Amino acid sequence: MTETALAPSAASRPAPPPPLAMLAELTHRCPLACPYCSNPLELTRKAAELDTTQWTEIFAQAAELGVLQLHLSGGEPLSRRDLEPLVRAARAVDLYVNLITSGIGLTERRLDALEAAGLDHVQLSLQGVDADSADEIGGYRGGFVRKMQAARWLAARGIPLTLNAVMHRRNLDRLEATIALAVEMGARRLEVATVQFHGWASLNRAALMPTRAQSERAAAVVREARARLKGVLAIDYVPADHHADFPKACMGGWGSTGLNVTPDGTVLPCHAAQTLPGLRFERAPATPLGRIWCDSPAFQAYRGTDWMQAPCRTCERKTKDFGGCRCQAMAMTGDPAATDPVCIRSPHREALTARAERDAGGTAALVYREGCG
Amino acid sequence: MSLADHHRPRLLRGVRVKRDRVRGVDVLLAPERVLRLDPVGCAILAETDGERSFADIVAALAARFDAPPARIAADARTFLQTLIDRRIAEAR
Ligand code: SF4
Ligand code: SF4
């Protein structure tokens, strides 16, 4: 058994290894308004969304290309009236189907239909551990109560559940309660993900940036909980970038393991790729997914290691982290091909740390995500 | 929970083994996980049905591969225990 052994180690033109996973942003519509939403600042409107037939075609193209896992995401995927037939279409081509949802919009009848359509797994987002804090972050009164109801419906049916908790300065001190809630809900897995400052979160750095002390404490809490809850709850922890020495391999390496499709069919190497200059992204299903994956210049731009500059170019870690996140490099240095400024070998690391520490001491009010009809 | 001889292990709901025709390998699909299975892993999971005990599984594999039961037991235990710890399988 070798985990991620299917992931390639380096770029290999002309035929890159196929992707393992696809994230389908079915819609940007969402009843919530989380200030860290990873959707782009410019949201796609309902009228521009792909229809059922087009998504069905994309799922078939994905399976043919080698995608094994499909993540149905948004916005809120339950905003799509055709979610049930979409799940059925994905299962028909033997994809593993994961639904990423806030739970808002779920009813018992819809859940029964989703289960009958073959839904494999549900990932429920958690905005906070009580109604006051959760509804404040989600910007939606009553959201927490409805989410807890959804969790009970899932548990009653035995549908495998992962709880996805986005952590930031306002809730990181309640990590123990978050873990306890995941156990209480009967979740099998918990993702403790420190907010990534892309999308709407980039407007909320000063409101949400965790402090170093918080991050260090969180790491210790996770370590203790993992040992205590072995075989009960699996915990994945994504710490704050700038409290590490080296960056994470963004998306497992650009164009290597996964791809994102936006509501209008635009195919991206990662969800923030549209913030990078000079890249033109193609649309599925009109342009087949396989052709985009293998041939499109945008997917080749930062695939592998050929595009790297110093210090990545000669670094022994370059096939481990692939130079980190392109979008972060762009945001912090203005150069999308620069070393991720999180890396201690980047000349921008000190500035990044200083800025994060300044933001962590900030007091800004939350800027909520906008709605889109 | 650690796997004992009398336990009857099984994969949890939401976990599937399938042939990946594109890559020509067998894979185990679980929430947020794709594990590539080697022939030994495949053989272990083929016996892991929630009915047979771990001792039965080891005996079947030892016969099938004509290998010493102690070694098979060690390999199968490590493999299944990892899946149990990660909430991919369970032992009852
Ligand atoms: S992060 Fe919040 S606002 Fe954005 S899609 Fe998810 S639930 Fe909706
Ligand atoms: S220099 Fe580049 S390749 Fe090396 S650790 Fe830093 S980001 Fe990774």
Side-chain angles (χ1 to χ4, degrees):
Chain A
M1 182 177 81
T2 26
E3 191 161 352
T4 66
L6 303 178
S9 56
S12 54
R13 287 171 76 180
L20 289 169
M22 180 168 90
L23 184 97
E25 289 176 4
L26 297 177
T27 178
H28 280 159
R29 288 173 286 145
C30 183
L32 268 54
C34 306
Y36 48 68
C37 183
S38 64
N39 285 165
L41 297 178
E42 204 170 310
L43 296 162
T44 301
R45 309 198 72 78
K46 183 180 183 198
E49 290 175 9
L50 298 183
D51 64 19
T52 319
T53 314
Q54 289 168 311
W55 278 116
T56 300
E57 176 65 23
I58 290 178
F59 298 162
Q61 292 176 354
E64 199 184 319
L65 175 61
V67 168
L68 298 171
Q69 293 198 325
L70 173 67
H71 305 288
L72 297 175
S73 173
E76 173 52 65
L78 289 161
S79 305
R80 294 273 309 210
R81 304 310 315 171
D82 60 351
L83 184 59
E84 295 80 349
L86 289 175
V87 169
R88 195 171 308 112
R91 282 302 308 262
V93 291
D94 209 20
L95 290 168
Y96 186 96
V97 184
N98 174 32
L99 175 66
I100 303 177
T101 178
S102 67
I104 310 302
L106 198 59
T107 59
E108 285 195 274
R109 182 192 270 181
R110 286 199 86 178
L111 194 51
D112 287 339
L114 289 165
E115 199 178 13
L119 183 64
D120 285 295
H121 173 247
V122 171
Q123 197 170 313
L124 195 64
S125 65
L126 188 76
Q127 283 73 26
V129 292
D130 58 46
D132 282 348
S133 63
D135 293 352
E136 191 199 359
I137 286 290
Y140 184 85
R141 277 278 142 234
F144 182 76
V145 170
R146 294 175 67 177
K147 182 189 304 288
M148 295 305 287
Q149 178 62 67
R152 283 191 293 275
W153 289 333
L154 288 161
R157 285 164 181 75
I159 298 174
L161 172 68
T162 290
L163 201 62
N164 186 344
V166 176
M167 306 307 287
H168 43 76
R169 192 168 74 242
R170 291 170 174 242
N171 66 5
L172 207 44
D173 292 332
R174 303 183 74 183
L175 183 53
E176 287 97 331
T178 306
I179 293 167
L181 185 63
V183 174
E184 189 189 314
M185 282 169 142
R188 215 183 267 178
R189 297 177 61 250
L190 170 66
E191 286 184 8
V192 177
T194 309
V195 62
Q196 304 269 315
F197 290 96
H198 304 300
W200 294 84
S202 64
L203 308 179
N204 284 294
R205 293 179 56 95
L208 298 176
M209 184 68 71
T211 66
R212 176 172 288 271
Q214 279 184 315
S215 282
E216 280 165 8
R217 211 185 132 267
V221 169
V222 168
R223 224 175 300 121
E224 183 279 327
R226 268 188 190 145
R228 179 168 48 88
L229 297 170
K230 203 184 230 184
V232 175
L233 182 73
I235 306 177
D236 280 353
Y237 174 49
V238 183
D241 270 340
H242 60 282
H243 296 144
D245 287 345
F246 298 114
K248 293 185 269 293
C250 192
M251 294 290 290
W254 183 276
S256 77
T257 50
L259 44 79
N260 281 23
V261 185
T262 73
D264 67 5
T266 307
V267 184
L268 305 174
C270 82
H271 62 80
Q274 281 163 313
T275 61
L276 300 175
L279 299 178
R280 204 179 61 79
F281 299 104
E282 289 161 273
R283 280 208 205 163
T287 304
L289 217 52
R291 194 183 322 149
I292 296 175
W293 178 258
C294 295
D295 301 334
S296 97
F299 272 81
Q300 291 183 28
Y302 304 108
R303 183 175 266 153
T305 56
D306 286 351
W307 56 273
M308 288 178 175
Q309 310 170 0
C312 294
R313 181 170 276 283
T314 54
C315 178
E316 82 286 355
R317 289 181 54 89
K318 71 178 175 185
T319 54
K320 282 202 189 72
D321 62 31
F322 295 94
C325 172
R326 297 302 88 227
C327 308
Q328 183 143 265
M330 179 63 207
M332 293 280 172
T333 75
D335 176 2
T339 293
D340 186 330
V342 161
C343 182
I344 48 167
R345 292 172 190 162
S346 160
H348 299 274
R349 170 59 196 242
E350 260 177 62
L352 174 109
T353 307
R355 188 173 164 204
E357 259 149 36
R358 203 164 56 240
D359 289 332
T363 50
L366 294 172
V367 178
Y368 287 94
R369 194 200 101 145
E370 282 164 15
C372 68
Chain B
M1 116 109 59
S2 55
L3 183 60
D5 284 350
H6 68 275
H7 280 140
R8 289 166 296 139
R10 63 163 189 179
L11 293 178
L12 287 169
R13 179 170 167 186
V15 180
R16 292 196 265 134
V17 174
K18 81 161 197 175
R19 184 71 189 166
D20 174 351
R21 277 178 288 105
V22 173
R23 297 173 185 80
V25 294
D26 293 305
V27 290
L28 179 135
L29 301 176
E32 299 287 332
R33 293 271 185 278
V34 176
L35 307 181
R36 179 193 193 127
L37 295 170
D38 57 20
V40 179
C42 258
I44 296 170
L45 290 183
E47 308 285 335
T48 304
D49 56 5
E51 301 290 324
R52 270 169 278 195
S53 69
F54 181 70
D56 293 341
I57 293 171
V58 170
L61 292 171
R64 181 169 154 194
F65 289 100
D66 195 16
R71 236 198 72 207
I72 295 275
D75 286 355
R77 194 184 301 278
T78 308
F79 178 68
L80 289 171
Q81 188 68 54
T82 307
L83 298 185
I84 291 166
D85 290 347
R86 292 189 190 182
R87 294 290 275 131
I88 292 172
E90 68 179 355
R92 293 174 309 158

